Amino acid sequence: MASTQTWDPQTYARNARFVSELAGAVVELLAPQAGERILDLGCGDGVLTATLAALGCEMVGVDASAAQVGAARALGLDAREMGGERLDFDAEFDAVFSNAALHWMKHDPDAVIAGVRRALRPGGRFVAEMGGYGCVAKIKAALLAALARRGIDGEALDPWYFPTVEDYCARLRASGFRVESAALIARPTQLPGDISDWLATFAQCFTAALVSEQRPAFIAEVQAALKPQLCDAQQRWWADYVRLRFRAIKAG
Ligand SMILES: C[S@@+](CC[C@H](N)C(=O)[O-])C[C@H]1O[C@@H](n2cnc3c(N)ncnc32)[C@H](O)[C@@H]1O
């Protein structure tokens, strides 16, 4: 199914810089070594990929968005437009890394994992953080409720795959990985602006169901529903993120 989500590097940098800035723990789990060849799957605008390159890693980034790949190339990176479900690499990486991207690859996670395994050298590692089970549950519930009031089934529009540890680990093992660690981590995340900026950046698959004239009232309704839950007394907005962070080794 074609996604109605688009990625604009400028909007992403303005509203979502926290995504790469909060990747410290998964980078630590990756433990990148200078000289290693590492694939960054769903590299986005390449800002995080560039920090790994600065450590002396030989980085290749892939992303499905031509605009994001363009931004990554502008940083001097080897970035390629490629869907995670159709990775075209064969036993050439010491590690595959991914931050905040795998949950967007909803329709065939097993094809993504199989492509990662193919891309890795024997003994190579797959280290990633993605949205996990329950991620943005409050935001999603408000979106679905506002869509339901308009007679629209929001579940059918949901672009996200937020698996449990058990679900994702079963897929990894079935594909020939040994899971070294995997955990769900609740990570309420302060947003740089209002929830409407977050919705404009990440929730396009839901708003696309409405004609453009309907969207401002829809966003205002979702914002009002979420304010008591996600906006604190200092008027700071928080997204109810849950992350799934794991490290797995290509077995056999
Ligand atoms: C939230 S951004 C994360 C970007 C980057 N990893 C970071 O930490 O800033 C998610 C990225 O996943 C990419 N993406 C979504 N679906 C994809 C797919 N099927 N294959 C490859 N990339 C995909 C998007 O284009 C977007 O750049």
Side-chain angles (χ1 to χ4, degrees), residues 5 7 12 16-17 19-21 23 40-49 62-66 68 82-86 97-106 112 202:
Q5 173 70 27
W7 300 90
Y12 187 74
R17 190 74 288 141
V19 173
S20 51
E21 285 175 353
D40 185 355
L41 171 53
C43 64
D45 63 5
V47 168
L48 182 54
T49 326
V62 293
D63 199 283
S65 159
Q68 294 277 63
M82 195 183 292
E85 302 80 357
R86 287 174 295 282
F97 171 76
S98 185
N99 182 53
L102 293 171
H103 56 272
W104 291 99
M105 303 173 204
K106 177 179 189 175
V112 175
F202 294 114

Side-chain angles (χ1 to χ4, degrees), residues 88-177:
D88 189 18
F89 302 102
D90 191 15
E92 61 180 278
F93 291 101
D94 299 298
V96 176
F97 171 76
S98 185
N99 182 53
L102 293 171
H103 56 272
W104 291 99
M105 303 173 204
K106 177 179 189 175
H107 294 294
D108 200 347
D110 295 321
V112 175
I113 294 169
V116 168
R117 188 176 190 282
R118 254 193 326 273
L120 285 168
R121 294 183 177 133
R125 60 201 190 279
F126 181 21
V127 181
E129 185 169 305
M130 65 190 291
Y133 188 74
C135 191
V136 295
K138 290 177 177 154
I139 298 175
K140 187 177 146 184
L143 285 163
L144 263 51
L147 286 168
R149 286 192 284 277
R150 290 160 176 79
I152 298 168
D153 172 15
E155 275 299 352
L157 305 170
D158 179 2
W160 302 313
Y161 167 53
F162 293 139
T164 60
V165 170
E166 293 72 22
D167 173 355
Y168 209 78
C169 287
R171 291 177 192 276
L172 286 167
R173 290 188 184 108
S175 195
F177 282 95

